[in-house]
Amino acid sequence: VSARSIAVIRASATDVLAYIMYHNQRYQAVLKSEDPIVIEERILERPSEHHFCAVLRSKFPNPLNNREVVASTIWQKESEGNYFAVSTSCEHGDCPETLSFIRVDFTRAFKLSQNADNTTSVETVATVNLKGAIPKWINDLITIPQLSGMPLNMINFFAAVRRSPEFDAADSK
């Protein structure tokens, strides 16, 4: 399944990049603790400021087996205010495949463009293969909201962390 989304985030491109690079771990931990399908999510390593590897393990309803994704995320500055980030499935020595989880194939690319009003245009393209014996309609039902949900999660995060002076009457509607 593949999905594409475009959103404008009320934050600078560097702040959005920090979100993608998982520099908001406490916020993510709260979100994940409220999500009944998340079994585990953690950073495996951060080899550089431009690269990290993580694992996400998810509980699937019976009779489906639980899934996991191990992904490597990297970013690059394209030009002033423009960044490109990619997350893709990988293997990692600290997280070998087990019989307890089916390993998902996953790729997501982000194009970040700083706008003149200090917002960021985010274009996301993603694909996922849950693997295993899952009918296509169930795969689509699970993966499309997950793939397209990242921009909405960003919008909600940056709305929650904006400083008070940045709010005005238009924001209150």
Side-chain angles (χ1 to χ4, degrees):
V1 174
S2 297
R4 180 175 179 253
S5 64
I6 299 173
V8 175
I9 310 299
R10 296 192 64 173
S12 69
T14 54
D15 286 345
V16 173
L17 182 61
Y19 180 95
I20 291 168
M21 294 304 293
Y22 211 81
H23 288 295
N24 56 353
Q25 291 181 28
R26 287 184 293 175
Y27 173 77
Q28 292 290 342
V30 169
L31 282 184
K32 301 306 179 201
S33 71
E34 297 171 354
D35 189 342
I37 71 163
V38 174
I39 296 171
E40 176 187 17
E41 183 175 43
R42 66 184 163 97
I43 301 290
L44 297 169
E45 72 173 319
R46 210 179 269 281
S48 74
E49 69 176 42
H50 289 252
H51 180 208
F52 78 92
C53 295
V55 60
L56 171 64
R57 291 184 169 136
S58 301
K59 183 180 186 85
F60 274 55
N62 286 332
L64 302 175
N65 293 336
N66 293 337
R67 300 295 197 271
E68 72 178 355
V69 62
V70 176
S72 177
T73 302
I74 58 170
W75 68 271
Q76 174 177 309
K77 185 174 184 176
E78 300 282 293
S79 62
E80 195 58 42
N82 295 292
Y83 300 88
F84 189 75
V86 176
S87 296
T88 190
S89 301
C90 68
E91 298 298 321
H92 195 280
D94 291 346
C95 195
E97 284 194 55
T98 69
L99 296 176
S100 302
F101 295 92
I102 294 175
R103 184 72 53 98
V104 172
D105 283 335
F106 170 83
T107 301
R108 182 166 48 196
F110 301 92
K111 180 181 175 189
L112 311 178
S113 302
Q114 181 79 44
N115 300 321
D117 62 354
N118 202 34
T119 61
T120 302
S121 295
V122 178
E123 184 174 350
T124 308
V125 178
T127 184
V128 69
N129 178 356
L130 293 177
K131 293 188 176 177
I134 297 179
K136 184 180 178 334
W137 71 270
I138 294 177
N139 188 66
D140 293 352
L141 185 70
I142 294 169
T143 58
I144 291 173
Q146 290 295 320
L147 292 174
S148 59
M150 180 69 146
L152 180 58
N153 292 341
M154 283 188 223
I155 289 168
N156 291 337
F157 173 76
F158 288 108
V161 299
R162 266 188 291 170
R163 295 168 208 61
S164 298
E166 294 179 12
F167 287 97
D168 58 26
D171 291 329
S172 300
K173 295 179 183 176

